[in-house]
Amino acid sequence: MATRTESARDAGAASSIVAALVRKARAAQKIYGRSTQAQLDEAVTAVGWAIMNPDHNRALAELAVKDTGLGVVADKIVKNHRKTLGLLRDLQGAKSTGVIAEHPEQGLTEIAQPVGVVAAAVPSTNPAATPANNIINALKCGNAVIVAPSPKGYSTCTLLLKYVHEELKRAGAPADLVQQLPAPVTRELTNELMKQVDLVVVTGSQNNVRAGYSSGKPALGVGTGNVAVIVDASADCADAARKIVASKIFDNATSCSSENAVI
């Protein structure tokens, strides 16, 4: 059992490690935060290509299955592609800097500005698509982001960030906009990261989501999924059954969108 002195020393080390990452992130964000909408969108597209490049996608999917022992390579390739493409579609044309709306009848003007540095805690079940999508959302709004990967998904996140940094360099954006916690990723490091950033985004277990909401910083949490699917009396039951089975077995049911019960 760790002594109080050892615990304090570990906490101090975690604080110093995270503080160094946050300092670099703030320096990069200070530059990037002055970007035009076109520059923000270029960085977003660059990160999208970092994971959607077919060679990158396959390498990430194979590494994720090898190191986490979860899922199916072919399905992860589909997931990485479709989730990222869907997000890029949703963000296309959306304003995220400067004046984004005007309400003259109320005398109001809405002006968007970056929040600063975002912490993104991601699960082992989705070690490539989730961090990639979190990075895209953060960069779209002019923020920097530090990823806290799960220990099993660390290697996949490291490879993803290698691809991301290559694409950001081509786009002329600072590499330190996107970082990750060093190995070994511990609960102390992740909790310290949540305390030192400006916004927390957590995907995964209820414990992680609760930690995000208890960090003292604004937090967005996505916890347990796998909800029930309701088949209405008007449904084509054979068609519904095929779709439910396809959803349930996709990526060995590791996705939070995989149904857990049928009514």
Side-chain angles (χ1 to χ4, degrees):
M1 182 178 294
T3 65
R4 183 175 299 177
T5 301
E6 289 171 334
S7 296
R9 187 165 59 242
D10 291 344
S15 179
S16 297
I17 291 169
V18 170
L21 294 176
V22 173
R23 276 195 301 272
K24 292 194 294 182
R26 293 201 186 283
Q29 192 278 324
K30 187 175 181 180
I31 298 169
Y32 180 69
R34 298 193 292 265
S35 298
T36 64
Q37 187 67 66
Q39 290 170 324
L40 297 179
D41 292 343
E42 179 63 24
V44 164
T45 303
V47 174
W49 180 242
I51 185 173
M52 291 177 65
N53 177 313
D55 292 337
H56 295 177
N57 192 350
R58 175 166 289 280
L60 290 165
E62 290 175 347
L63 187 59
V65 172
K66 175 178 177 289
D67 285 357
T68 67
L70 300 169
V72 178
V73 170
D75 291 347
K76 286 196 181 297
I77 290 173
V78 172
K79 182 190 293 185
N80 291 344
H81 182 90
R82 289 184 178 176
K83 284 186 177 294
T84 306
L85 184 62
L87 177 59
L88 293 175
R89 177 201 62 208
D90 292 343
L91 295 180
Q92 187 176 21
K95 291 183 178 181
S96 57
T97 186
V99 176
I100 60 173
E102 294 188 74
H103 310 278
E105 69 283 357
Q106 297 173 322
L108 297 176
T109 299
E110 295 184 40
I111 302 174
Q113 66 179 42
V115 70
V117 180
V118 178
V122 299
S124 59
T125 52
N126 218 13
T130 297
N133 283 217
N134 286 343
I135 292 166
I136 286 171
N137 281 323
L139 295 188
K140 174 73 176 182
C141 299
N143 301 301
V145 58
I146 301 173
V147 182
S150 68
K152 285 185 177 180
Y154 188 86
S155 58
T156 305
C157 193
T158 299
L159 182 58
L160 172 66
L161 263 61
K162 173 179 178 291
Y163 295 146
V164 166
H165 288 152
E166 290 171 354
E167 297 302 327
L168 288 179
K169 183 178 180 180
R170 291 191 182 97
D176 286 340
L177 280 174
V178 182
Q179 301 176 75
Q180 69 174 348
L181 291 177
V185 178
T186 63
R187 183 170 297 175
E188 288 75 20
L189 274 176
T190 302
N191 288 343
E192 187 62 37
L193 176 65
M194 293 178 180
K195 293 176 183 176
Q196 293 195 30
V197 297
D198 304 299
L199 176 68
V200 176
V201 179
V202 186
T203 307
S205 71
Q206 288 299 307
N207 285 340
N208 287 347
V209 172
R210 290 192 186 101
Y213 285 135
S214 303
S215 65
K217 297 297 173 68
L220 302 171
V222 180
T224 305
N226 310 113
V227 297
V229 55
I230 300 173
V231 182
D232 186 75
S234 64
D236 179 337
C237 289
D239 183 55
R242 282 192 296 271
K243 290 174 179 175
I244 293 167
V245 169
S247 175
K248 188 61 181 175
I249 66 175
F250 182 80
D251 205 27
N252 287 351
T254 56
S255 175
C256 57
S257 58
S258 180
E259 294 84 359
N260 205 38
V262 179
I263 300 172

